[in-house]
Amino acid sequence: MRHRISDWDDAYANGPNIPGGDRWPDLWVGPAREYRHALEEAGHAKLDLRYGDGARNRMDLFLPATEPAGLVVFIHGGFWLRLDKSYWSHLARGAVELGYAVAVPSYTLCPEIRIGGITLEVANAIEQAAEIVAGSIRLIGHSAGGHLATRMITVTSPLPEEVRSRIVHTVTLSGLHDLRPLMHTAMNRQLNIDRQEAWRESPALLEPMQGARLTCWVGSAERSEFLRQNALLANIWKGLGAETEVVEEPDRHHFNVIDGLADPHHPLTQTLLS
């Protein structure tokens, strides 16, 4: 069947194409706040840790009751334009209950910064978290955060080698791995992606670092562009020597595909930590 995208804004529009989609992101606020406060009261949260000079260069670190088995870094989405770390705290629950520390950073948003600048900020956050928590590192990012997570394991990653060598698995949830299509959207007036930046910052146009292990996870009910972007990176990187896997989780859309991270027994959490 022939298919050509004529409306790029609709192709990447999630909320309007999900029944009740306007409930998000507000639906995350309450559970995130409750979990954050519970861990803070228990002495298992370090909040608003500064990792850089920017006003949004802060992260929350959630700790298990025992010595951490390793570090998970969750990188939030929002098309590099919106949201912050406060929406996602509850998603640390699954990994924390299985003994891992989880860092959740905020970062400066476009148009105050270019996407390449966000890449550098996220690398700084990961490096700072890695200085606090020893052991293996797992990265996971949602939507634009999936782009930032996979960008960290390319051959042009801004992470120092001693940090990259500790990364054992990266999971991208509904990630955006080729930035070129986004140049056709109205939001690019704020993102300011040009062809040079697209080639420099798109993981699908870069090579994976040696030994990269990647899982590309998406909801089966997502927009076709997110399904395509999900399969695209795994396909390209498999041909470049990375260990890759593609998962289309049934009955999940762009917003509830992340819910499994709050459950230590959910296949998403189990896959991330495997």
Side-chain angles (χ1 to χ4, degrees), residues 27-108:
L27 206 61
W28 294 316
V29 173
R33 183 194 305 115
E34 291 173 11
Y35 184 73
R36 189 166 58 249
H37 290 173
L39 261 67
E40 185 178 24
E41 289 182 1
H44 295 153
K46 298 181 179 181
L47 305 180
D48 288 323
L49 297 175
R50 179 167 290 283
Y51 68 82
D53 296 331
R56 291 174 56 94
N57 290 169
R58 296 179 181 273
M59 66 179 170
D60 295 337
L61 182 64
F62 302 102
L63 300 165
T66 58
E67 186 71 17
L71 172 67
V72 172
V73 181
F74 175 86
I75 308 167
H76 75 79
F79 283 116
W80 308 274
L81 292 168
R82 48 190 172 267
L83 306 179
D84 59 48
K85 60 184 175 61
S86 68
Y87 289 84
W88 323 93
S89 308
H90 60 298
L91 300 180
R93 183 190 302 274
V96 168
E97 291 190 4
L98 292 175
Y100 287 79
V102 179
V104 184
S106 291
Y107 46 82
T108 307

Side-chain angles (χ1 to χ4, degrees), residues 66-175:
T66 58
E67 186 71 17
L71 172 67
V72 172
V73 181
F74 175 86
I75 308 167
H76 75 79
F79 283 116
W80 308 274
L81 292 168
R82 48 190 172 267
L83 306 179
D84 59 48
K85 60 184 175 61
S86 68
Y87 289 84
W88 323 93
S89 308
H90 60 298
L91 300 180
R93 183 190 302 274
V96 168
E97 291 190 4
L98 292 175
Y100 287 79
V102 179
V104 184
S106 291
Y107 46 82
T108 307
L109 300 175
C110 298
E112 184 178 342
I113 195 172
R114 298 288 293 262
I115 289 176
I118 298 176
T119 296
L120 297 177
E121 289 191 353
V122 168
N124 287 339
I126 295 170
E127 186 175 1
Q128 176 72 20
E131 290 180 1
I132 300 171
V133 180
S136 61
I137 299 173
R138 290 162 172 81
L139 306 179
I140 183 163
H142 176 235
S143 196
H147 157 267
L148 294 164
T150 52
R151 179 69 178 85
M152 296 299 118
I153 59 168
T154 64
V155 293
T156 56
S157 170
L159 287 172
E161 173 57 30
E162 60 266 26
V163 175
R164 272 183 289 157
S165 65
R166 291 168 55 188
I167 299 173
V168 298
H169 192 193
T170 299
V171 177
T172 172
L173 294 172
S174 311

Side-chain angles (χ1 to χ4, degrees), residues 198-246:
W199 279 93
R200 186 176 61 247
E201 295 297 328
S202 296
L205 304 179
L206 301 171
E207 294 186 16
M209 70 181 192
Q210 187 174 4
R213 179 183 171 217
L214 172 70
T215 297
C216 295
W217 191 294
V218 72
S220 65
E222 299 216 35
R223 306 294 289 155
S224 64
E225 267 298 272
F226 286 90
L227 294 169
R228 185 188 68 82
Q229 290 253 10
N230 191 64
L232 175 72
L233 185 63
N235 189 17
I236 292 175
W237 277 16
K238 181 179 181 180
L240 296 174
E243 177 185 343
T244 69
E245 180 181 9
V246 175

